[in-house]
Amino acid sequence: MANLETYQEYQRIEDFEEDSPHGEEDLLVHVPEGLRDSWHHIKNLDNFFTRIYQFHQKNGFACMMLSEFFELFQLLFVVTFTTFLFNCVEYDILFANRAVNHTGPGQNPLDRNKVTLPDAILPSQQCTERIQENSWIIFLLIMAAIFWVYRMIKVFCNILRYWEIRQFYIKALKIRMGELCNFTWQEVQDRLISLQREQQMCIHKKELTELDIYHRILRFKNYMVAMVNKSLLPVQLQLPLLGNLVFLTQGLKYNFELILFWGPGSLFQNKWNLHPKYKRAGNRLELAQQLSRVILLMGVANLLLCPFILVWQVLYAFFSYTEVIRREPGSLGARRWSLYGRLYLRHFNELDHELHGRLGRGYKPTSKYMNSFTSPLLTVLAKNVAFFSGSVLAVLIALTVYDEDVLTVQHILTAITVLGVVITITRSFIPDEHMVWFPEQLLQCVLAHIHYMPDHWRDNANKSETRDEVAQLFQYKAVFILEELLSPIVTPFILIFLLRNKSLEIIDFFRNFTVEVVGVGDICSFAQMDIRRHGNPLWMSEGQTEASVYQQAENGKTELSLMHFTIKNPHWQPPQESSVFISHLKEKVHQDAQGGPPTQLLLSEAPLCSSLLSNESGNAPDNLLASVLAHPILTASGLPARDLRFVPPSTAASAAASVLASLSVSHSQLPHASRSHSHVLLPSTHPDSTMYCSDRTVIDSMSASDSRIKSTTMLSEFALAEMSLHAIYMHEVHQQNSLPHQRTSGQWQNPMPLRDLISNTGSQTHSGHTAVHLSSMPTPLRLGGWMEEEEEDAEEEEVLNRGSTPKQDSRSSC
């Protein structure tokens, strides 16, 4: 254990020479005698908390170290196997371009023309001579060996560091390795906060908050999210013929971080402090020139290393994807969230697992939206190419079934493989014959999960321009592979010709949007989620923000990030300005909920609405979200609800407000002890029930062994649904504030003025929102049915308010 302390990046209270946040060096801390060997005064809390988080997300010490060792062996295998293929294989013999004489004692004359693998492999001595004669091969092997040794040293250092983290989990957090997978990150974080009160890991703050931990882990990522939000990074390229493209790869992102955060000549002097000279406005021009030189040097270095990086990228892609493409050619047509999309859609203070879970839920609806666009011309071409390719492939397969010797004919196996790939690719361009064209509804469902949508997408979901912009966030896997292969070539030019021109803007950005937080250091001010400083008046921040256009976060990033962090961390106490905004939002939700449909009615429509939105998950939170999204379709079209009654038109915003208000009221009625574990509602365990009950009821019905896991999972599911409802509601209100006097068409248009509905029904409907309608359903029939049953509706509303189940009609319901 003595050697262990040598490799630690965080030290005990005895080490006073570390570089800590300003003001910490003047503090004296009394360490109790029994805690001298514990985790006091950690030198680098950023690395410490990051490793705790990675240790939890990567499932413990054994999995992490096994992955590290396999990465070493992968690098060694790629280099060794590639060298062997280039220098130790006789391809003329392998391809039968040169005959092999097998005659000799003990050899069968019938096998003289049969080529075996040993025949094509050169002897070890001849192979070694070939390698020694090629100076380029020797140079590349030396470079690879140096890099491999560096990686090996880093792996052994990580073993020592993560072994210390393992001890921290066991001794300090009281979490055994066998139970680690049963703990969520929020539970681990709660134990970290409790441990701070007992052992001063951070000596300049008595108590840590959830936001402090997030700031430490996401310090640089919050800067990256903010720079993408303010369009500061040059990732959007305007190219002739190709138009507007987004290019952001792992290599380019790595260079951005190297230049700005932790590389030589970066803006940060250590892990938590921006260099003081960048905080002063007097020498901004000189600093911009200095940063421009650093970027130029980095671009030239990338240009010199381009051939080696390109060779590595090609080899790694070949070994990684060739077998997958041969087995599943359609995998190239699958989509994935692009690196740019992950930064554009990421909230401030959103951890990796939170982002992956949210985008994972949005994968299916986004895929359905993208697949709903078809080109008639391309469809005709694809059908015919698939027909001709399939015909030839069928004949070749029939011949091989009749006589397997056909496979020995030159290039027959290649032709079968290529034809199979062509058929798979062409079929991906042929749309499903049962597909229904509902782009506006699909895009609304996408918004519920990704939480961000530019204003100009509204009412334009059916346009190819909108689809192309969504494709920048949700790209083909083939495009991802191609971009990574081109990255070594394109990255130097982006750095030299584009990023250098942004030097002054970057200097101004870090000076204007960096704040020092006691106990944390310098962070991006956007990460504070300060409504007063970075709020947008059009996103429900009017009268609460003092931000100029330059200081405002785009697309409601501040407001949505604040709501997301509050929902994910219910124990967190927001600052006063943020609390005022949240209270204002809750008041508006309750106000708009008065004109929305009853929550019980939405729950009764959940099965039908899930079917309309093709929601296959079937769990309660997703069904509730589907009912909110599809309810305007049902009400505006005149489709009967579960009780076969026509209901007044309402918007997705009013439906979301109704559900959010019900969740808030239920939470306020929970006992104080249970509020810390639940701020949402959980579904009743009775299959026929349409009512929701608190999580305490569900927990009581579970066994003691699995109640904690099940309740935590259910609460997490409903927290995600609650945030989705907030995203829908806030976007609707934003559109209302942006266009107060304009009524848009399509999904957000009312079939008739709301004042007419109020006069006809006597019910209250919020006039700030609109509803979806199906043009194929006649409006007069719907309104007539509604007017004829006015008195019966009043009785129905009274029954629903009492919480009882209404009497069902004898006819079959939807």
Side-chain angles (χ1 to χ4, degrees):
M1 295 297 294
N3 294 331
L4 181 62
E5 298 180 356
T6 305
Y7 296 96
Q8 291 176 348
E9 290 192 8
Y10 43 89
Q11 304 294 331
R12 304 292 188 258
I13 189 65
E14 291 84 358
D15 300 327
F16 289 102
E17 63 272 12
E18 72 275 359
D19 193 5
S20 301
H22 179 70
E24 180 177 346
E25 63 275 2
D26 298 328
L27 296 177
L28 297 178
V29 177
H30 172 70
V31 183
E33 185 67 26
L35 299 177
R36 287 190 182 273
D37 294 331
S38 301
W39 284 265
H40 282 275
H41 190 190
I42 296 172
K43 175 182 178 181
N44 193 334
L45 278 174
D46 284 32
N47 283 348
F48 185 66
F49 287 151
T50 300
R51 288 183 183 132
I52 291 175
Y53 175 71
Q54 293 176 348
F55 192 92
H56 175 267
Q57 293 299 306
K58 295 181 179 179
N59 302 306
F61 182 81
C63 293
M64 294 183 67
M65 293 303 102
L66 195 61
S67 298
E68 294 265 7
F69 278 115
F70 272 119
E71 286 183 7
L72 276 179
F73 286 117
Q74 280 185 6
L75 175 60
L76 185 64
F77 172 79
V78 169
V79 173
T80 304
F81 191 48
T82 303
T83 305
F84 170 80
L85 292 177
F86 275 99
N87 297 278
C88 302
V89 178
E90 194 68 45
Y91 289 99
D92 288 338
I93 296 178
L94 186 64
F95 296 149
N97 295 329
R98 192 174 72 192
V100 180
N101 187 6
H102 283 166
T103 57
Q107 295 288 340
N108 188 347
L110 298 178
D111 295 337
R112 66 180 60 185
N113 293 326
K114 186 176 180 179
V115 179
T116 61
L117 283 178
D119 295 332
I121 298 177
L122 296 176
S124 58
Q125 182 178 359
Q126 187 176 355
C127 179
T128 304
E129 291 177 356
R130 280 193 175 186
I131 295 175
Q132 292 175 350
E133 293 173 357
N134 194 329
S135 57
W136 276 106
I137 293 293
I138 295 177
F139 174 74
L140 292 176
L141 288 177
I142 292 175
M143 295 291 294
I146 294 174
F147 182 74
W148 191 84
V149 170
Y150 164 76
R151 285 288 302 152
M152 183 179 63
I153 295 174
K154 191 173 181 180
V155 166
F156 280 107
C157 291
N158 287 339
I159 291 177
L160 299 176
R161 293 164 182 166
Y162 282 107
W163 181 263
E164 183 74 7
I165 298 297
R166 180 182 182 274
Q167 298 301 106
F168 178 80
Y169 266 89
I170 296 175
K171 296 181 179 180
L173 299 183
K174 309 300 181 183
I175 299 177
R176 294 179 295 181
M177 292 299 98
E179 300 176 350
L180 181 62
C181 59
N182 296 330
F183 284 83
T184 65
W185 169 249
Q186 276 69 28
E187 292 173 322
V188 174
Q189 185 174 257
D190 290 342
R191 297 200 177 197
L192 274 175
I193 295 174
S194 300
L195 184 65
Q196 167 67 16
R197 304 187 186 103
E198 302 173 3
Q199 305 183 26
Q200 293 291 309
M201 296 179 292
C202 176
I203 65 170
H204 48 279
K205 289 191 72 173
K206 184 177 181 180
E207 293 190 3
L208 290 176
T209 66
E210 292 86 349
L211 190 59
D212 292 337
I213 297 176
Y214 274 70
H215 281 333
R216 292 277 190 178
I217 299 174
L218 301 171
R219 187 189 305 273
F220 297 151
K221 287 185 179 180
N222 281 328
Y223 273 108
M224 292 292 292
V225 172
M227 285 189 285
V228 169
N229 180 257
K230 300 298 290 185
S231 301
L232 184 60
L233 296 179
V235 296
Q236 296 192 7
L237 310 178
Q238 192 70 32
L239 301 178
L241 300 180
L242 297 179
N244 185 27
L245 296 179
V246 171
F247 187 87
L248 182 62
T249 61
Q250 293 289 349
L252 183 58
K253 178 174 175 287
Y254 177 84
N255 277 274
F256 286 158
E257 295 174 347
L258 188 67
I259 293 171
L260 299 176
F261 302 123
W262 51 268
S266 65
L267 279 63
F268 277 74
Q269 64 179 0
N270 51 44
K271 293 287 186 178
W272 50 81
N273 281 123
L274 186 70
H275 199 284
K277 63 182 179 181
Y278 293 103
K279 300 179 181 180
R280 297 188 294 267
N283 53 349
R284 54 191 291 268
L285 295 178
E286 178 184 350
L287 294 175
Q289 293 176 356
Q290 178 181 341
L291 179 60
S292 178
R293 289 193 294 268
V294 172
I295 297 174
L296 177 61
L297 292 176
M298 196 63 64
V300 172
N302 276 268
L303 196 60
L304 295 176
L305 295 175
C306 174
F308 310 107
I309 301 175
L310 182 61
V311 169
W312 170 255
Q313 292 279 65
V314 172
L315 291 175
Y316 188 81
F318 176 79
F319 289 128
S320 300
Y321 299 112
T322 302
E323 189 277 332
V324 176
I325 294 173
R326 186 199 66 81
R327 177 168 41 89
E328 298 179 7
S331 61
L332 290 177
R335 290 186 176 271
R336 66 187 302 276
W337 295 103
S338 66
L339 188 58
Y340 171 76
R342 293 175 184 274
L343 288 174
Y344 178 85
L345 299 175
R346 189 168 194 155
H347 294 295
F348 294 122
N349 302 309
E350 183 174 21
L351 292 172
D352 290 342
H353 76 280
E354 298 171 348
L355 175 67
H356 295 163
R358 181 165 61 87
L359 295 185
R361 289 180 168 275
Y363 184 89
K364 283 187 177 181
T366 312
S367 297
K368 291 176 182 178
Y369 172 76
M370 297 299 293
N371 294 335
S372 65
F373 287 84
T374 58
S375 171
L377 179 61
L378 191 59
T379 300
V380 172
L381 293 175
K383 287 182 178 179
N384 286 274
V385 171
F387 171 78
F388 294 123
S389 302
S391 301
V392 177
L393 181 61
V395 172
L396 294 179
I397 293 176
L399 291 175
T400 57
V401 172
Y402 178 76
D403 189 350
E404 62 181 10
D405 290 337
V406 175
L407 292 174
T408 61
V409 178
Q410 189 176 20
H411 299 316
I412 285 294
L413 192 59
T414 303
I416 293 176
T417 303
V418 171
L419 289 172
V421 172
V422 170
I423 293 173
T424 304
I425 294 176
T426 53
R427 284 179 177 174
S428 65
F429 293 102
I430 301 175
D432 184 3
E433 59 181 356
H434 304 294
M435 183 184 63
V436 180
W437 177 248
F438 271 140
E440 295 289 351
Q441 284 72 33
L442 286 174
L443 193 59
Q444 184 79 336
C445 190
V446 171
L447 171 63
H449 296 288
I450 68 175
H451 300 172
Y452 292 99
M453 184 179 76
D455 294 341
H456 61 270
W457 286 7
R458 194 181 185 93
D459 298 332
N460 294 317
N462 59 337
K463 294 185 177 181
S464 59
E465 292 82 0
T466 303
R467 180 192 182 276
D468 293 340
E469 292 186 16
V470 177
Q472 295 176 353
L473 309 177
F474 197 59
Q475 63 182 175
Y476 283 116
K477 192 170 185 178
V479 175
F480 162 75
I481 297 174
L482 181 62
E483 286 184 351
E484 291 295 332
L485 292 177
L486 294 176
S487 179
I489 302 174
V490 179
T491 295
F493 296 98
I494 292 180
L495 296 179
I496 295 174
F497 297 105
L498 297 181
L499 187 62
R500 286 180 62 206
N501 298 332
K502 298 274 189 176
S503 297
L504 184 59
E505 296 179 48
I506 293 174
I507 294 297
D508 290 339
F509 176 87
F510 277 88
R511 184 185 71 254
N512 295 326
F513 300 119
T514 295
V515 294
E516 183 178 357
V517 178
V518 176
V520 178
D522 291 333
I523 64 169
C524 180
S525 61
F526 286 102
Q528 289 286 88
M529 301 174 294
D530 189 347
I531 298 296
R532 180 183 56 82
R533 183 172 181 179
H534 297 300
N536 192 319
L538 298 180
W539 284 87
M540 305 180 66
S541 300
E542 187 173 4
Q544 305 174 40
T545 179
E546 303 172 358
S548 62
V549 176
Y550 176 70
Q551 295 173 325
Q552 295 170 3
E554 307 298 330
N555 298 320
K557 179 75 76 172
T558 302
E559 292 79 5
L560 288 168
S561 297
L562 175 61
M563 291 308 303
H564 178 266
F565 190 83
T566 304
I567 292 174
K568 296 297 292 185
N569 299 274
H571 299 287
W572 178 62
Q573 297 295 329
Q576 181 178 359
E577 294 82 1
S578 300
S579 299
V580 171
F581 172 79
I582 295 173
S583 300
H584 173 70
L585 177 62
K586 290 182 178 179
E587 292 176 1
K588 187 165 181 58
V589 165
H590 283 278
Q591 177 184 356
D592 292 351
Q594 297 177 1
T599 307
Q600 291 84 353
L601 177 61
L602 291 172
L603 298 179
S604 67
E605 294 172 349
L608 175 60
C609 297
S610 299
S611 176
L612 287 175
L613 292 180
S614 301
N615 191 332
E616 300 174 358
S617 59
N619 57 51
D622 287 342
N623 287 341
L624 179 59
L625 180 59
S627 66
V628 170
L629 291 172
H631 182 74
I633 305 176
L634 300 181
T635 58
S637 64
L639 289 177
R642 188 173 179 177
D643 57 351
L644 300 179
R645 307 274 316 238
F646 293 140
V647 292
S650 58
T651 64
S654 62
S658 178
V659 176
L660 289 172
S662 299
L663 298 179
S664 177
V665 171
S666 176
H667 174 47
S668 64
Q669 294 174 352
L670 289 175
H672 178 73
S674 64
R675 290 183 194 178
S676 60
H677 301 285
S678 173
H679 59 284
V680 294
L681 299 179
L682 296 181
S684 172
T685 56
H686 195 279
D688 298 329
S689 174
T690 61
M691 302 296 293
Y692 276 46
C693 58
S694 70
D695 66 323
R696 189 58 53 191
T697 306
V698 179
I699 293 175
D700 292 340
S701 64
M702 299 177 183
S703 61
S705 60
D706 60 353
S707 62
R708 184 187 65 83
I709 299 176
K710 290 183 179 180
S711 63
T712 301
T713 302
M714 188 63 72
L715 288 174
S716 177
E717 294 289 330
F718 271 85
L720 291 172
E722 182 180 357
M723 183 59 211
S724 297
L725 294 174
H726 274 292
I728 295 171
Y729 177 78
M730 294 173 70
H731 271 272
E732 291 282 344
V733 176
H734 165 66
Q735 288 295 329
Q736 175 192 357
N737 294 336
S738 300
L739 303 173
H741 304 294
Q742 182 178 353
R743 291 293 181 262
T744 58
S745 61
Q747 179 182 0
W748 294 277
Q749 181 180 4
N750 275 323
M752 65 175 296
L754 291 175
R755 58 178 178 271
D756 294 342
L757 286 174
I758 296 175
S759 62
N760 287 337
T761 63
S763 61
Q764 295 181 349
T765 306
H766 179 53
S767 60
H769 303 285
T770 53
V772 183
H773 72 284
L774 299 177
S775 58
S776 60
M777 301 300 296
T779 303
L781 174 62
R782 171 173 54 80
L783 293 178
W786 171 255
M787 294 174 64
E788 290 173 0
E789 298 181 349
E790 179 180 356
E791 297 178 359
E792 194 173 348
D793 285 340
E795 297 176 1
E796 175 65 15
E797 184 176 1
E798 183 179 356
V799 171
L800 291 176
N801 291 334
R802 290 200 305 265
S804 59
T805 304
K807 183 178 180 180
Q808 298 294 324
D809 196 287
S810 59
R811 295 170 290 178
S812 60
S813 64
C814 296

